[in-house]
Amino acid sequence: MNTTIKKLALLSLFALPTTVMAGELSTTINATSDYTFNGVSQTDNDPALQASLDYAADDGWYVGAWASNVDFGNADDTWLELDFYAGKYFELTDRVSVDAGIAYYTYHGDDASDEYYYPEIYTKFGYTSSLGQSELNFWYSWDYFGVDAGHYIMMAAHTFTIAEGHDIRVSFDRSTSQDEDKWAWDGDKSYNHYRAEYLTSWEGFDFNVAVEDTSMDTDLSDTRAVLSVSRTFSL
């Protein structure tokens, strides 16, 4: 079965969508003007270079790893994020799909970087219609960013084609901490993130131009435009 697995938002929700053909080992290299996680810059508003290594089996199982440079500020020397994930993609019908799995986020470069490690489970539902591809996605961690607090993210998104090879994706997600004393977003337990992006390809390169904003009022989460260019290679 020639199943296509689309992972739309593993942390880096996160980076560009990664497409992995069944039975194929591949790597994707991505350059972005800002690595944002749900609208919050992970690189102090600076560019990032990212890479993934993915394998998808014929029966829908997949495993992978993803890496990016990060910058959490002058007092923290953490410079690398390295994530691992595994899951399974199900095509329930010609229109309905489910992608479920687990991810583990690790950080490196500072003496305290290993304190940030955390696991996350996710389930993503897809529905294809004449109007495009709709998504309803959920993520949950019981030890968010290593602070022993529960945290979940809910996202609704839709991608539609405006012309052959030219897509628009709009999304809304809400991040919520279940323990404000251990983790809060700009002094609150939740915040909203809005994103609209244009996707196209040319000569084997994938391009993504996005505009996003959040309900928080910080320098790392205000309105911004993000440009990303990636290329996937079969191994």
Side-chain angles (χ1 to χ4, degrees):
M1 180 176 64
N2 190 24
T3 302
T4 298
I5 294 177
K6 294 184 177 179
K7 293 182 291 296
L8 291 171
L10 272 176
L11 179 70
S12 321
L13 292 173
F14 319 40
L16 288 174
T18 300
T19 301
V20 182
M21 298 304 295
E24 179 181 273
L25 180 66
S26 66
T27 182
T28 298
I29 308 298
N30 181 55
T32 181
S33 61
D34 192 355
Y35 165 25
T36 59
F37 169 47
N38 293 10
V40 180
S41 178
Q42 305 295 290
T43 48
D44 200 21
N45 300 320
D46 286 333
L49 183 62
Q50 304 167 336
S52 67
L53 182 65
D54 298 277
Y55 178 76
D58 291 339
D59 59 0
W61 288 100
Y62 62 87
V63 295
W66 184 90
S68 177
N69 61 289
V70 295
D71 185 350
F72 296 149
N74 293 332
D76 192 319
D77 291 329
T78 301
W79 67 273
L80 175 66
E81 176 185 336
L82 180 59
D83 307 331
F84 305 92
Y85 43 88
K88 188 169 185 178
Y89 177 86
F90 303 85
E91 284 189 344
L92 303 183
T93 70
D94 290 342
R95 293 191 173 189
V96 180
S97 64
V98 178
D99 182 2
I102 186 168
Y104 192 68
Y105 303 97
T106 72
Y107 299 87
H108 309 272
D110 191 272
D111 290 341
S113 294
D114 58 356
E115 297 179 6
Y116 306 152
Y117 292 13
Y118 71 97
E120 187 176 67
I121 55 175
Y122 58 89
T123 304
K124 294 177 274 185
F125 300 91
Y127 178 76
T128 302
S129 69
S130 59
L131 299 178
Q133 176 74 19
S134 300
E135 304 165 49
L136 192 59
N137 305 327
F138 303 90
W139 296 263
Y140 174 74
S141 176
W142 52 94
D143 184 23
Y144 189 70
F145 219 66
V147 298
D148 195 29
H151 185 274
Y152 61 90
I153 304 166
M154 300 181 293
M155 170 188 281
H158 185 76
T159 303
F160 56 94
T161 300
I162 55 176
E164 185 176 355
H166 302 273
D167 296 329
I168 297 292
R169 182 175 186 263
V170 292
S171 61
F172 168 81
D173 53 87
R174 183 172 177 84
S175 297
T176 300
S177 172
Q178 295 182 298
D179 190 337
E180 290 180 67
D181 293 333
K182 294 181 178 179
W183 185 276
W185 291 107
D186 195 22
D188 210 341
K189 70 175 185 178
S190 302
Y191 78 94
N192 300 327
H193 170 227
Y194 324 88
R195 181 177 171 103
E197 51 199 310
Y198 164 71
L199 305 94
T200 191
S201 299
W202 180 78
E203 296 292 335
F205 290 91
D206 296 318
F207 296 87
N208 182 305
V209 181
V211 177
E212 59 185 332
D213 196 8
T214 75
S215 58
M216 293 190 292
D217 184 19
T218 73
D219 182 56
L220 298 178
S221 60
D222 55 8
T223 305
R224 68 194 59 223
V226 180
L227 170 64
S228 302
V229 182
S230 68
R231 183 155 189 168
T232 298
F233 302 90
S234 298
L235 302 177

